[in-house]
Amino acid sequence: MPGNEWEKIRHLLVVQDLQGQRTIPLQETTYSIGRDSRNAIVLRSRSVSRQHAILLRVTLPETDQYGFRIIDGNFKGKSSTNGLYVNGMKCISHNLQHGDVVEFGNNQVQAKYYAVSSISDKAFSESCDAENISDFLLEQANVANPFQTVIVDPNFEAASETALARLASFPELIPNPIIEMDLGGTITYLNPAASVKFPKIREIGTQHPILKGLLNAVEDRKINSFSREITVNQEVFEQCIHYLPESDLIRTFIVRDITEQKQAEAELRQRDRLLQAVAEAANYLLVEMNYETGIDKALAVLGEAAKADRAYLFKNHLHLDTGAMAVSLQFEWTRINFTSTRHHWQNQLYQSSELARWYTTLSGGKSISGTIQDFPIAEQKLLARDGIQSLLLVPLRLEDEFWGYLGLADCSQERLWSRHEESTLLTMAASISGAWQRQQVEEKIRYQALHDMLTGLPNRVLFNELLAKALPIATRNRESLAVMFLDLDRFKVINDTLGHTLGDKLLQIVAQRLKDSLREGDTVARWGGDEFTILLPQVNYLDEVAQVAHRILQSIQKMFCFDGHELYISASLGIALFDEHSNNAEILIQHADAALYHAKDIGRNNYQFYTTTLSAKTPELLNLEKSLRYAVEREELIVYYQPRVNILTGQITGMEALVRWQNPEMGLIAPNVFIPLAEESGLIIAIGEWVLRAACLQNKAWQEAGLPPLTVAVNLSPKQFRQSTLVEDVARILAETGLDANFLELEITESTAIADLEFTRTVLHNLEQMGVHLSIDDFGTGHSSLSRLQLLPLHNLKIDRSFIQELTTDVRVAHIVKAIVTLGRNLGLRLTAEGVEKQEELDFLKSIHCEDVQGYLFYKPLPAEKATEVLQNKHTSALEMKSEVGLL
């Protein structure tokens, strides 16, 4: 065994009390001895004080060995009750020598002290379990190294009070901070190292990280000594705590500064997190079918792993106005509580002073990293608006071309980005560039698979996909949709005569005109050859479809000029509406095709709706008519309301009631299907009366809810208007619903009004006498004139939507509308324009002093609940405005 193991002095205390004998190796610096269970050495006897004595380790002069001194009483100086005896002599303190026998008050409890050498660690450990310690130690001696004992001179320096004082001053000399605190939380001692390292510890007290939680920790733990890690001002220390129960003190010792170790461990953990993030993000970029979703997920994983506040992807492009190189923020991830900054980073020129350095550096393949205080002033101002304190940017390159950059930002601290973070970002940039390239290729392949290469329009495959998606949406929203089939008239003649090149050019122009004729959200596709299909989702009334069909045919009739040729062509159009007869994609297209051939049969250059009323009644049509007879009593009819808006004020001046049929088996049935059927079967009279009553009840409910009073307009069908009891029926419904006649407006079409002018004048006069407002609907379609209508007691004139749609494209129509408004105002009529969908239409109507408008530019027809919400919101806004200007 090593020589130093033989030379080492071993210290033992063999204790004998009422519970027997036990051997204690003395290895600590201090031991408290007494009856209390919290002592280091517990003696089992009532004659022993709770804290009887202290065993204190002292260093031998001029050696590296030590001995032990035993002192009567506790650390506070309170003596024991029955005294301390060493070798039969009572004493206050004594430097123990090998073989000394210590008695604690009487001979019931005693201890024998041993100090030995020339014994191995193993033998020393086994001595603690030996029954006769003296015999055991003798057995371990050998001749080459005889048994040795250390004889301590009673006059050695450590026995004096001076030596004890020097021992006590030991904490004053070491560089490790030592602090003592009593159980009341008061600091009782600081060594110089502690005072220097933690100058505010007395001021902060138990809230200082060194002392925080110690009182609870001592109470909760069953052992008196333990260690922990603490952080003070970003420095990490290993701290040992020793509880001295005999003196009610907690002594803490700062073993070492482990800040660098912890930083190294944190860097390793951060590197592992970043590597895992790269793998996870790369997986998202590979498996996500949607490129944008993959980028969003990848940035989120990267930002979280890097503990950044923002993660960016910027993409280069040409400036929208100047054509110079610019950059925009395309994707952004932000930590919770941070708002998006995307609006700050759109269409930013690289040639600006803020970004010129970035372009030079990043396009050269280098990164930009650091705190913004190290950036040029112009860049600091740019980044300060987003609260950025530190930034890391790496270039995105594809086939050696600089196409953007990837970035991480910290808005919470001035952060120096590590090489691991930079390399991770570079790896991520490579993955994103690869994913972007794949996405470009996939998009090109998909585009070619779903689009017509000549016109750029969707092809038959994509049209079928869009139609399949639109059908369940229409069902869910209780709307209809329309499918149109268009064929160019005599296109084959042009193609054969002038050649396929010119024919292809003609198809391209036709495709563009078709797109320009549609509403937002509509789709036109090239079906094949000179055939096109058109999808109109979100259809609520027949006129919407008719207007689009009319615009399409007009656009194609205009002259085509190209390659020195002037061509005139026309088209035929078939239309099928989603209803119980055309209830799936395949049948809709078949019925639209059938309607197209019907349009060709009756002379081309027109549009026709597919409807069963065109032929003999089928069993399906008879069943529909039967169901319609029960629609009113089964409450299957619904009234929608379309607001009428004042052009100048934007206020709602009235509501038009429009009927819908929601059949529980067949779903939402388009008005163009059941209204003609109702007219033909006579059911329109019962339906009209139900709509009139429902509209009056709803208007009365709005008034009782405190909403501003307005008129509700109800259309009267020709058959309903010619009922001999019409005036009495209106009076009865007004009385039953409690609605004042001034808030009801009845509308008849122009053609209905002029069919029998004398009859019309009589009926309208009687209704006017009641106080009902009267209106001519669809003015301009009945080939009459205001000079004839001025004979009637009218209040309102509604300009047909077909005029409004051509306001901005046909100057003649604009003159007609202006003349109608001027004459109408001169006759004292209030003018309402129907079907207003575009801002330029509204601007023209405002310029000619038309009062009111209806149309999708403001509101589409709404269910009663939605219409009520609109009215309530308008009313609330008006009240708030009055309150602000002091009118309330």
Side-chain angles (χ1 to χ4, degrees):
M1 70 179 63
N4 59 351
E5 189 172 329
W6 284 102
E7 297 166 3
K8 186 177 181 180
I9 304 296
R10 318 283 183 170
H11 304 270
L12 295 172
L13 192 68
V14 180
V15 177
Q16 179 74 44
D17 61 10
L18 296 180
Q19 289 190 353
Q21 177 181 300
R22 60 189 183 278
T23 301
I24 301 169
L26 301 178
Q27 296 170 325
E28 302 292 336
T29 56
T30 58
Y31 292 85
S32 59
I33 304 172
R35 190 176 76 245
D36 194 298
S37 60
R38 291 177 295 175
N39 286 289
I41 300 174
V42 181
L43 302 178
R44 310 298 183 183
S45 175
R46 298 296 300 176
S47 63
V48 177
S49 298
R50 295 180 64 83
Q51 293 177 348
H52 201 108
I54 297 166
L55 199 59
L56 180 67
R57 187 168 72 181
V58 294
T59 303
L60 299 178
E62 300 177 359
T63 73
D64 59 353
Q65 302 292 355
Y66 57 84
F68 279 87
R69 185 178 193 184
I70 193 164
I71 303 169
D72 182 70
N74 59 22
F75 278 94
K76 294 184 178 180
K78 183 179 179 181
S79 300
S80 63
T81 302
N82 297 323
L84 181 71
Y85 297 85
V86 179
N87 301 326
M89 301 292 293
K90 186 175 183 179
C91 60
I92 299 301
S93 66
H94 178 77
N95 294 317
L96 292 175
Q97 301 178 48
H98 177 73
D100 282 347
V101 177
V102 183
E103 294 179 348
F104 300 88
N106 56 42
N107 59 7
Q108 284 186 334
V109 180
Q110 65 177 24
K112 191 170 183 178
Y113 171 76
Y114 294 88
V116 299
S117 65
S118 299
I119 186 172
S120 68
D121 286 339
K122 180 181 179 183
F124 177 69
S125 178
E126 292 173 352
S127 70
C128 298
D129 299 321
E131 293 184 8
N132 190 319
I133 186 64
S134 297
D135 293 343
F136 179 86
L137 293 174
L138 286 171
E139 291 173 3
Q140 299 302 316
N142 63 56
V143 177
N145 274 301
F147 180 82
Q148 299 176 12
T149 60
V150 177
I151 305 299
V152 181
D153 183 352
N155 297 317
F156 83 101
E157 186 180 1
S160 66
E161 294 300 326
T162 303
L164 289 176
R166 183 177 300 144
L167 178 67
S169 67
F170 173 70
E172 301 287 311
L173 302 176
I174 66 171
N176 300 71
I178 299 176
I179 304 102
E180 284 187 353
M181 176 179 69
D182 64 22
L183 296 183
T186 301
I187 297 174
T188 58
Y189 173 72
L190 288 178
N191 75 340
S195 298
V196 172
K197 189 67 178 176
F198 312 114
K200 294 186 177 181
I201 191 168
R202 285 192 184 277
E203 177 184 339
I204 299 173
T206 55
Q207 292 306 307
H208 193 282
I210 295 291
L211 304 177
K212 193 169 186 178
L214 281 187
L215 295 174
N216 290 335
V218 166
E219 290 179 2
D220 294 342
R221 296 174 183 263
K222 295 181 180 180
I223 57 174
N224 293 339
S225 297
F226 58 93
S227 62
R228 65 177 185 174
E229 291 180 3
I230 55 168
T231 302
V232 183
N233 297 328
Q234 298 183 343
E235 291 184 289
V236 187
F237 301 97
E238 184 179 347
Q239 178 188 28
C240 287
I241 298 99
H242 186 64
Y243 171 48
L244 308 174
E246 66 282 350
S247 56
D248 292 334
L249 289 175
I250 300 172
R251 179 179 296 153
T252 173
F253 182 83
I254 301 301
V255 179
R256 60 193 177 107
D257 185 336
I258 56 174
T259 305
E260 290 186 2
Q261 173 189 326
K262 288 296 178 181
Q263 288 175 345
E265 292 173 357
E267 285 185 11
L268 288 174
R269 288 195 298 272
Q270 177 70 346
R271 184 188 65 180
D272 291 343
R273 276 197 301 268
L274 292 171
L275 291 173
Q276 183 178 354
V278 167
E280 189 175 346
N283 184 60
Y284 285 135
L285 295 170
L286 283 172
V287 302
E288 279 291 344
M289 297 298 293
N290 186 295
Y291 168 75
E292 295 186 354
T293 302
I295 294 292
D296 285 334
K297 290 183 177 180
L299 286 183
V301 168
L302 177 64
E304 289 286 359
K307 297 183 178 178
D309 294 322
R310 301 181 186 277
Y312 308 104
L313 188 151
F314 289 82
K315 189 175 180 183
N316 298 340
H317 59 86
L318 298 181
H319 193 276
L320 299 179
D321 298 326
T322 67
M325 183 59 71
V327 67
S328 291
L329 177 56
Q330 193 173 38
F331 297 95
E332 179 185 24
W333 169 86
T334 62
R335 193 169 294 282
I336 296 174
N337 300 326
F338 284 87
T339 57
S340 173
T341 60
R342 186 173 297 190
H343 59 287
H344 287 166
W345 295 93
Q346 297 302 312
N347 216 27
Q348 297 291 308
L349 283 168
Y350 270 126
Q351 64 190 22
S352 65
S353 58
E354 296 93 343
L355 298 181
R357 182 179 74 95
W358 291 16
Y359 183 81
T360 302
T361 304
L362 294 168
S363 64
K366 297 179 181 178
S367 303
I368 292 175
S369 176
T371 61
I372 67 165
Q373 66 180 6
D374 299 326
F375 286 21
I377 297 298
E379 296 177 17
Q380 289 185 29
K381 292 180 179 178
L382 183 69
L383 297 172
R385 68 184 180 182
D386 297 335
I388 295 173
Q389 297 193 44
S390 297
L391 188 65
L392 172 61
L393 303 174
V394 300
L396 289 164
R397 306 188 69 83
L398 186 60
E399 296 179 352
D400 206 32
E401 194 172 312
F402 171 51
W403 67 275
Y405 53 90
L406 200 60
L408 293 172
D410 198 315
C411 302
S412 308
Q413 60 182 333
E414 293 183 346
R415 173 176 179 175
L416 295 177
W417 303 91
S418 70
R419 59 183 180 85
H420 295 307
E421 289 161 337
E422 183 176 349
S423 63
T424 297
L425 204 58
L426 285 167
T427 304
M428 184 72 72
S431 296
I432 288 175
S433 294
W436 185 74
Q437 185 177 33
R438 287 195 306 276
Q439 184 250 357
Q440 295 296 102
V441 172
E442 289 169 1
E443 281 188 357
K444 184 177 180 180
I445 294 172
R446 177 170 172 78
Y447 182 88
Q448 292 173 345
L450 299 176
H451 289 79
D452 172 53
M453 290 299 101
L454 175 64
T455 62
L457 295 177
N459 61 15
R460 185 182 302 198
V461 175
L462 181 54
F463 184 84
N464 285 331
E465 284 185 14
L466 296 173
L467 178 57
K469 291 178 181 177
L471 288 171
I473 295 174
T475 302
R476 186 164 59 248
N477 295 341
R478 297 184 177 183
E479 297 173 331
S480 185
L481 59 79
V483 171
M484 297 180 172
F485 217 122
L486 181 143
D487 178 83
L488 297 179
D489 297 332
R490 301 182 181 86
F491 176 76
K492 187 175 184 300
V493 175
I494 295 173
N495 218 24
D496 293 343
T497 304
L498 300 177
H500 292 283
T501 301
L502 192 142
D504 288 347
K505 183 68 174 177
L506 178 61
L507 288 174
Q508 290 172 336
I509 300 174
V510 167
Q512 186 58 50
R513 290 189 183 183
L514 290 176
K515 287 196 292 185
D516 294 340
S517 301
L518 301 183
R519 310 170 306 172
E520 184 178 356
D522 296 342
T523 300
V524 56
R526 187 182 180 197
W527 195 255
D530 63 333
E531 293 180 328
F532 298 85
T533 49
I534 299 158
L535 171 62
L536 275 61
Q538 297 181 321
V539 169
N540 288 296
Y541 53 90
L542 189 63
D543 284 352
E544 290 180 272
V545 183
Q547 289 166 22
V548 174
H550 184 67
R551 285 201 301 269
I552 287 173
L553 295 181
Q554 279 195 325
S555 71
I556 292 177
Q557 287 174 356
K558 294 177 183 178
M559 182 174 62
F560 291 83
C561 298
F562 55 91
D563 295 344
H565 296 277
E566 293 182 358
L567 299 176
Y568 290 90
I569 63 171
S570 62
S572 299
L573 197 61
I575 307 168
L577 293 167
F578 176 43
D579 54 28
E580 77 282 4
H581 301 291
S582 306
N583 54 13
N584 63 52
E586 184 179 358
I587 294 177
L588 272 166
I589 294 172
Q590 289 176 358
H591 286 178
D593 192 31
L596 167 65
Y597 281 99
H598 181 68
K600 286 182 175 292
D601 288 343
I602 61 175
R604 303 176 185 268
N605 192 27
N606 71 94
Y607 64 87
Q608 293 296 318
F609 285 92
Y610 177 86
T611 171
T612 53
T613 58
L614 296 175
S615 58
K617 287 187 178 180
T618 63
E620 292 84 2
L621 191 61
L622 292 172
N623 183 58
L624 183 65
E625 182 176 331
K626 181 181 179 181
S627 298
L628 184 59
R629 293 184 181 278
Y630 296 104
V632 175
E633 61 185 74
R634 292 174 180 172
E635 299 181 346
E636 293 175 6
L637 298 179
I638 308 169
V639 178
Y640 277 45
Y641 298 88
Q642 186 172 31
R644 181 176 66 201
V645 179
N646 183 275
I647 291 181
L648 294 178
T649 66
Q651 295 300 308
I652 295 175
T653 59
M655 290 282 190
E656 182 178 4
L658 302 164
V659 66
R660 301 287 186 267
W661 181 15
Q662 181 64 48
N663 185 275
E665 296 176 359
M666 295 176 283
L668 189 66
I669 301 173
N672 68 289
V673 174
F674 75 86
I675 292 298
L677 189 62
E679 285 275 7
E680 181 182 343
S681 63
L683 293 172
I684 194 68
I685 296 174
I687 292 174
E689 182 173 335
W690 179 87
V691 172
L692 179 61
R693 184 184 304 276
C696 290
L697 284 171
Q698 182 61 64
N699 200 7
K700 183 65 175 177
W702 283 332
Q703 293 180 9
E704 291 176 349
L707 297 173
L710 46 75
T711 59
V712 61
V714 180
N715 291 283
L716 297 178
S717 72
K719 284 189 177 181
Q720 189 179 9
F721 181 72
R722 283 173 173 72
Q723 286 291 302
S724 59
T725 60
L726 173 66
V727 175
E728 290 79 8
D729 292 340
V730 171
R732 173 172 48 82
I733 290 173
L734 287 172
E736 291 173 355
T737 60
L739 182 69
D740 190 286
N742 289 323
F743 300 115
L744 174 64
E745 180 176 333
L746 296 177
E747 297 181 2
I748 59 172
T749 63
E750 179 186 354
S751 56
T752 300
I754 65 173
D756 185 342
L757 205 58
E758 192 58 36
F759 173 83
T760 300
R761 183 162 55 180
T762 301
V763 173
L764 295 185
H765 176 75
N766 291 335
L767 291 171
E768 184 194 35
Q769 290 296 106
M770 291 169 53
V772 174
H773 289 253
L774 304 170
S775 175
I776 291 295
D777 193 17
D778 299 335
F779 181 75
T781 61
H783 308 290
S784 72
S785 66
L786 282 174
S787 60
R788 298 176 69 186
L789 295 178
Q790 69 177 327
L791 302 174
L792 303 176
L794 300 172
H795 303 91
N796 198 1
L797 191 67
K798 302 185 76 174
I799 305 170
D800 186 69
R801 68 184 69 251
S802 61
F803 287 93
I804 304 306
Q805 301 299 334
E806 297 181 25
L807 270 181
T808 57
T809 58
D810 192 331
V811 65
R812 294 172 300 175
V813 172
H815 286 311
I816 293 172
V817 172
K818 185 176 181 180
I820 292 173
V821 171
T822 301
L823 289 172
R825 288 173 62 85
N826 290 338
L827 293 174
L829 300 177
R830 189 174 186 92
L831 279 299
T832 301
E834 297 178 294
V836 178
E837 296 181 0
K838 300 177 181 177
Q839 183 62 42
E840 52 264 40
E841 295 168 356
L842 180 67
D843 293 340
F844 177 83
L845 292 168
K846 185 184 294 185
S847 70
I848 62 173
H849 308 295
C850 180
E851 289 97 330
D852 297 331
V853 292
Q854 274 181 251
Y856 274 35
L857 183 61
F858 290 93
Y859 303 99
K860 66 179 182 179
L862 303 167
E865 315 85 73
K866 294 291 184 182
T868 302
E869 290 179 13
V870 169
L871 292 174
Q872 288 173 337
N873 292 337
K874 281 285 187 182
H875 183 49
T876 302
S877 299
L879 291 177
E880 289 174 348
M881 186 176 296
K882 289 182 178 180
S883 176
E884 289 175 1
V885 299
L887 296 178
L888 290 179

